[in-house]
């Protein structure tokens, strides 16, 4: 029998880990040298989609992570349920889109890191070779987002 509460709990925990991992600080855009970042200078501006997760040194695609989550919970978790998207605007604002819900955030662009605040939670995104990465402080899981 399908247990919607359990699947919702897994999805909520995933979203919480993403938001808890994705954000630190609030304020205006500034570069690592303290100069203002423009849209063309920013590594972060744009739409970033959840593409993989590293759990204890094992890299998993979204589909593999869905299968892993299904195994861990005993309930079906699909890749569609795990789709998360961060949209960074050039004005220091953005939104997390997850399970049909948009949650606004603010961020400070520091060159290769972005300090982001979402729902009062602060986390750091790191720009790494064309991808954004965030590390969950509670689990150590590293989520990767690509354009």
């Amino acid at each position: 029998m399908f247990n919607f509460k359990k699947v919702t709990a897994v999805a909520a925990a995933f979203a919480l880990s993403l938001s808890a991992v994705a954000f630190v600080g609030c304020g205006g855009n500034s570069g690592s040298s303290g100069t203002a970042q423009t849209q063309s200078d920013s590594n972060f501006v744009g739409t970033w989609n959840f593409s993989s997760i590293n759990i204890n040194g094992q890299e998993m695609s979204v589909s593999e992570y869905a299968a892993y989550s299904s195994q861990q919970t005993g309930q079906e978790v699909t890749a569609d349920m795990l789709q998360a998207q961060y949209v960074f605007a050039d004005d220091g604002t953005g939104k997390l889109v997850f399970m049909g819900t948009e949650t606004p955030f603010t961020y400070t662009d520091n060159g290769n890191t972005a300090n982001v605040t979402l729902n009062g939670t602060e986390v750091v995104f790191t720009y790494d070779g064309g991808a954004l990465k965030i590390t969950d402080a509670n689990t150590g899981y590293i989520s990767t987002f690509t354009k």
Side-chain angles (χ1 to χ4, degrees), residues 101-117:
T101 302
E102 294 183 5
T103 306
F105 63 81
T106 58
Y107 74 97
T108 303
D109 184 336
N110 300 305
N112 285 333
T113 61
N115 299 335
V116 185
T117 300

Side-chain angles (χ1 to χ4, degrees), residues 10 14 64-77 82:
V10 169
F14 176 72
E64 291 168 333
Y65 184 54
Y68 172 83
S69 296
S70 295
Q71 181 182 21
Q72 296 298 307
T73 63
Q75 300 296 318
E76 182 181 14
V77 177
L82 299 176

Side-chain angles (χ1 to χ4, degrees), residues 26-136:
C26 229
N29 291 343
S30 63
S32 56
S33 65
T35 60
Q37 293 281 307
T38 65
Q39 181 175 1
S40 62
D41 292 339
S42 177
N43 291 321
F44 296 93
V45 172
T47 300
W48 299 86
N49 298 294
F50 178 56
S51 60
S52 66
I53 190 165
N54 186 305
I55 299 175
N56 303 323
Q58 181 180 352
E59 193 75 22
M60 295 183 207
S61 68
V62 176
S63 296
E64 291 168 333
Y65 184 54
Y68 172 83
S69 296
S70 295
Q71 181 182 21
Q72 296 298 307
T73 63
Q75 300 296 318
E76 182 181 14
V77 177
T78 67
D80 288 341
M81 297 167 100
L82 299 176
Q83 290 306 312
Q85 184 178 72
Y86 286 96
V87 181
F88 287 78
D90 64 349
D91 64 356
T93 65
K95 64 183 176 181
L96 164 64
V97 181
F98 183 69
M99 294 187 78
T101 302
E102 294 183 5
T103 306
F105 63 81
T106 58
Y107 74 97
T108 303
D109 184 336
N110 300 305
N112 285 333
T113 61
N115 299 335
V116 185
T117 300
L118 172 77
N119 288 336
T121 303
E122 298 179 345
V123 182
V124 175
F125 274 101
T126 301
Y127 179 79
D128 182 16
L132 296 186
K133 296 188 177 197
I134 53 177
T135 302
D136 185 308

